[in-house]
Amino acid sequence: MKSLFLLVVVFVAVRSDNDDHAARLLASKSILNQFIVEGKELTVEYSIYNVGSSQAYNVELSDSSFPEEDFQRVSGSLNVKWDRLAVGANVSHAVILKPLRPGYANFTAAQVKYYPTEESQAVQVGYTTAPGEAGIVGLKDYERRFSPHIVDWATFAIMTLPSIGFPFLLWYRSKSKYDVKHKKN
Amino acid sequence: MATSTKMLALAILAVLPVLMKASTCIGPQVTSNVYTTSEASMSISTVFVVEVAVKCNNGEKDLLLFADVNGHMVPATQSGTGKFQVSWSDEHKKLPAGTYGVRFFDEEGYNAVRKEKRSGTDGSTVTPIFTVNVKHSGTWTGPYVQTEFVATCVALLVWYMAYRSKSFLMS
């Protein structure tokens, strides 16, 4: 009798409450850059997945971690919404920004708001993953390492001309004198 | 009396389509802004961002748009009244330079395309509300040859020419 009673208790406790048919959104935010350089594009990609058992309604993504004075918007919008997100579906959103200042930047999470069911009155608030802290390289440092330096090489070539050209000129002068003598003979 | 009821029924039938809320756009005026990744070091995958601002002749404000992106149907993100954004990304190799056509559908069109896809065809016969052409000039992954390599070759060439003429003179 006791074991049966225990079994019933365990069964009731273990029975999970998954029958509420609500949407559950998982969101990720990632920076697609290999290098984040001042004055060059910064690509941010957001992905939202619905892993719940119902459609999500009025899904709103808003990112306020890129202040206007530090990041210039190139393409895409930081406050967007989708009407519905079906069960098991995922959407991705990309924003292109341009960092205006070098230094360390902390990329924090963006906010996702949605209604888990059609009738729900309370909005569900969630957050994306945060890429964390990253350094924004100054443009001069990046170019010193990565630009083709064509002007520098051209300058170098011009600078080597005297040390190569001067002896060559001397030799050529004496050669042409010798050739003239040879022709005379 | 019968005719008056008939007339009433006809009148209602005529008015019904206007009363029904059909979120479709008649005569859309579209301004689009397109961005594609230009340098591979700035992004590990090529990203396309298409921003459109749509103005409908019938003043439709609650438009829901879906876009056909490389054979995949995605809902267009709403970034304001009449403003939509579609973005997608893939590896650099899979998105070479060229023109990509992005077709935009309303709900009716979206359902039509889904039905066609379920019956096996690729849904390309459904007319979109409008199409945006995305011109991608390719993602630059670096110069063909490094300038250091070119400089080394030129230096070796100059040395070789000098060496040859020297050995020729000495012989």
Side-chain angles (χ1 to χ4, degrees):
Chain A
M1 254 332 270
K2 220 181 196 177
S3 50
L4 190 66
F5 174 71
L6 268 170
L7 211 72
V8 168
V9 166
V10 166
F11 175 73
V12 166
V14 157
R15 200 193 78 132
S16 51
D17 226 75
N18 265 339
D19 306 318
D20 45 4
H21 287 292
R24 209 163 91 98
L25 297 186
L26 298 179
S28 79
K29 167 176 161 177
S30 55
I31 308 252
L32 297 185
N33 281 48
Q34 267 185 314
F35 301 97
I36 307 177
V37 184
E38 162 205 5
K40 283 184 177 272
E41 290 128 15
L42 166 67
T43 314
V44 188
E45 196 181 40
Y46 305 87
S47 291
I48 305 183
Y49 302 83
N50 186 355
V51 297
S53 44
S54 143
Q55 263 194 358
Y57 295 87
N58 263 354
V59 183
E60 253 185 66
L61 170 71
S62 60
D63 197 345
S64 48
S65 67
F66 296 110
E68 275 287 327
E69 61 269 5
D70 289 333
F71 294 94
Q72 184 198 9
R73 198 185 75 88
V74 174
S75 188
S77 179
L78 289 169
N79 295 301
V80 288
K81 60 180 161 95
W82 291 267
D83 219 50
R84 270 171 260 149
L85 192 54
V87 178
N90 64 337
V91 277
S92 77
H93 177 67
V95 180
I96 316 293
L97 302 159
K98 220 176 239 193
L100 297 173
R101 281 205 286 252
Y104 273 104
N106 193 10
F107 297 106
T108 52
Q111 201 185 57
V112 178
K113 287 202 275 210
Y114 62 100
Y115 289 92
T117 56
E118 197 160 15
E119 310 88 26
S120 58
Q121 299 292 326
V123 68
Q124 178 87 333
V125 180
Y127 293 91
T128 65
T129 59
E133 213 185 50
I136 302 176
V137 182
L139 190 60
K140 276 219 168 82
D141 300 318
Y142 177 76
E143 301 233 294
R144 188 184 306 145
R145 167 84 173 82
F146 287 105
S147 83
H149 299 291
I150 293 177
V151 176
D152 297 334
W153 281 114
T155 318
F156 175 71
I158 292 169
M159 278 162 45
T160 58
L161 274 179
S163 53
I164 295 178
F166 189 57
F168 176 76
L169 209 64
L170 288 173
W171 167 83
Y172 189 70
R173 266 212 204 132
S174 59
K175 176 178 179 264
S176 53
K177 274 194 206 148
Y178 170 76
D179 277 344
V180 167
K181 278 198 183 137
H182 190 78
K183 274 187 191 151
K184 272 192 181 160
N185 288 345
Chain B
M1 267 192 307
T3 42
S4 61
T5 43
K6 235 190 197 170
M7 289 295 284
L8 189 64
L10 267 171
I12 292 177
L13 271 174
V15 167
L16 212 55
V18 178
L19 290 175
M20 268 186 2
K21 190 167 192 276
S23 76
T24 182
C25 192
I26 302 175
Q29 287 135 31
V30 176
T31 38
S32 61
N33 197 352
V34 166
Y35 166 86
T36 63
T37 306
S38 49
E39 275 185 63
S41 55
M42 290 303 123
S43 178
I44 53 177
S45 42
T46 301
V47 169
F48 285 27
V49 176
V50 178
E51 289 178 283
V52 286
V54 183
K55 233 178 160 169
C56 298
N57 273 348
N58 60 336
E60 179 60 54
K61 292 256 186 302
D62 289 326
L63 193 59
L64 261 188
L65 283 184
F66 297 84
D68 177 13
V69 156
N70 264 1
H72 211 57
M73 288 295 273
V74 291
T77 323
Q78 296 159 39
S79 48
T81 354
K83 291 214 191 117
F84 299 89
Q85 179 186 331
V86 176
S87 44
W88 76 102
S89 65
D90 211 337
E91 289 171 45
H92 299 301
K93 285 191 270 255
K94 295 203 181 146
L95 291 176
T99 311
Y100 297 81
V102 181
R103 304 184 298 160
F104 283 80
F105 301 95
D106 57 359
E107 278 196 82
E108 274 180 45
Y110 171 62
N111 291 328
V113 173
R114 267 209 318 191
K115 213 161 71 166
E116 284 216 2
K117 283 211 168 139
R118 254 181 267 152
S119 62
T121 52
D122 62 352
S124 51
T125 50
V126 185
T127 28
I129 298 191
F130 56 89
T131 310
V132 174
N133 282 325
V134 176
K135 248 206 198 134
H136 179 48
S137 48
T139 312
W140 192 71
T141 43
Y144 282 123
V145 272
Q146 298 275 17
T147 44
E148 290 86 356
F149 179 70
V150 171
T152 316
C153 285
V154 168
L156 283 173
L157 191 74
V158 169
W159 174 85
Y160 176 67
M161 278 169 51
Y163 182 73
R164 225 180 52 157
S165 28
K166 177 183 165 206
S167 38
F168 175 67
L169 285 170
M170 300 290 267
S171 64

